[in-house]
Amino acid sequence: MWCIQTIDTEYRDRMYDILSLYEEDYDPKKPLICLDEKPKQLLRDKRMSIPMKLGSSEKYDYEYVRNGTANIFMAVEFKAGKRVTQVTKRRTMKDFAQFMKILVTEKYSEAEVIRLVTDNLNIHKEKSFYEAFSEEEAKKILDKIEFHYTPKHASWLNAAEIEINVMDIECTGRRIGNIETLKNEVDSWTKRRNEHKRKIEWKFTRKNADEKMSKYYVK
């Protein structure tokens, strides 16, 4: 809350909208999907590391070589214990639109609509689809997406941030030297976590919000 002086009507409306979605029962025909991205700096070891062995952790030198950057798209349906990830070289409008196409036409082709929770980044807009596809295809994809935006300075309301933190702890929060290795590592982590249907237990409710934040509310 340190970065917020007051909470206006728009902030409250968006917060209540997302918290209401989180409190609904699971509906496979209208999956609730939280989306975010994770930038990843690719760092290659300058000297060969010593692999981990029984009784001894991995040892590597503090020096490294910068090898560019990559982006990780994270879409998590936390009530179902399902997530979809994709590693890309960049994070552009077209990259976002292509990732959403995968969700709509492949991963959730049976859904009536995808209810998408995301932040206010400029690529998370309808215009991204018209940048990437023909008008007809863009409209066809957008007809299956219902956008729900977090308030400004409130990305913590996006459950995808929790999933990204888990991914960092278990997989990506270490030195990875190239995009091919990153793809393999993220794919393996995603597959393993989906097989175990790992869910997120969201506990912050509208009642909690009013109790903790009402002193910041303004009309």
Side-chain angles (χ1 to χ4, degrees):
M1 289 297 301
W2 66 269
C3 61
I4 304 171
Q5 302 300 317
T6 58
I7 295 178
D8 59 16
T9 301
E10 180 185 272
Y11 189 108
R12 279 202 308 279
D13 288 346
R14 289 188 175 189
M15 178 176 65
Y16 288 158
D17 173 50
I18 291 170
L19 293 178
S20 295
L21 287 175
Y22 287 177
E23 290 180 22
E24 288 184 10
D25 293 334
Y26 171 64
D27 185 352
K29 287 297 183 182
K30 297 179 180 179
L32 172 62
I33 298 174
C34 299
L35 179 139
D36 205 354
E37 299 90 12
K38 166 72 179 181
K40 174 65 179 175
Q41 189 173 44
L42 302 173
L43 303 175
R44 178 167 54 82
D45 290 327
K46 196 168 185 178
R47 294 179 174 85
M48 186 175 295
S49 61
I50 300 174
M52 177 177 60
K53 60 181 180 180
L54 186 63
S56 178
S57 61
E58 179 185 15
K59 297 179 177 62
Y60 54 89
D61 194 76
Y62 70 92
E63 287 189 300
Y64 56 81
V65 177
R66 297 180 188 275
N67 198 25
T69 58
N71 171 69
I72 307 170
F73 282 108
M74 168 67 73
V76 58
E77 188 188 4
F78 68 87
K79 293 184 179 183
K82 177 180 178 180
R83 69 278 303 139
V84 180
T85 56
Q86 183 184 45
V87 175
T88 59
K89 292 181 179 180
R90 298 172 299 277
R91 186 189 65 180
T92 66
M93 288 183 173
K94 291 183 178 180
D95 293 313
F96 167 68
Q98 292 285 358
F99 180 65
M100 287 305 305
K101 181 181 178 180
I102 292 172
L103 292 184
V104 169
T105 64
E106 298 180 25
K107 304 299 183 179
Y108 291 91
S109 59
E110 301 300 317
E112 295 175 1
V113 64
I114 288 174
R115 296 179 295 175
L116 187 75
V117 172
T118 189
D119 61 28
N120 298 273
L121 190 67
N122 66 329
I123 68 171
H124 299 155
K125 307 295 181 183
E126 293 187 3
K127 63 181 180 181
S128 294
F129 296 85
Y130 293 100
E131 286 277 337
F133 310 116
S134 67
E135 183 174 352
E136 181 181 1
E137 185 174 11
K139 188 177 185 307
K140 186 176 180 181
I141 296 171
L142 285 167
D143 283 344
K144 298 288 292 289
I145 304 172
E146 181 182 288
F147 287 91
H148 295 265
Y149 292 105
T150 60
K152 294 178 181 177
H153 308 295
S155 59
W156 56 272
L157 282 165
N158 188 344
E161 286 203 348
I162 297 174
E163 192 69 17
I164 285 174
N165 185 55
V166 174
M167 181 178 68
D168 264 349
I169 293 171
E170 297 182 349
C171 178
T172 54
R174 59 185 178 83
R175 196 178 293 177
I176 298 177
N178 58 72
I179 195 168
E180 290 77 19
T181 301
L182 179 62
K183 287 179 179 179
N184 291 335
E185 293 290 319
V186 171
D187 285 348
S188 296
W189 174 85
T190 302
K191 180 180 179 182
R192 182 172 64 253
R193 197 155 166 83
N194 280 339
E195 287 175 347
H196 289 90
K197 295 185 178 180
R198 299 299 188 191
K199 300 179 181 180
I200 295 171
E201 186 179 355
W202 185 273
K203 295 183 178 180
F204 191 78
T205 65
R206 175 170 176 161
K207 181 181 179 181
N208 297 143
D210 288 341
E211 290 174 349
K212 296 176 180 294
M213 304 165 67
S214 59
K215 64 181 179 180
Y216 298 99
Y217 291 175
V218 294
K219 294 183 179 179

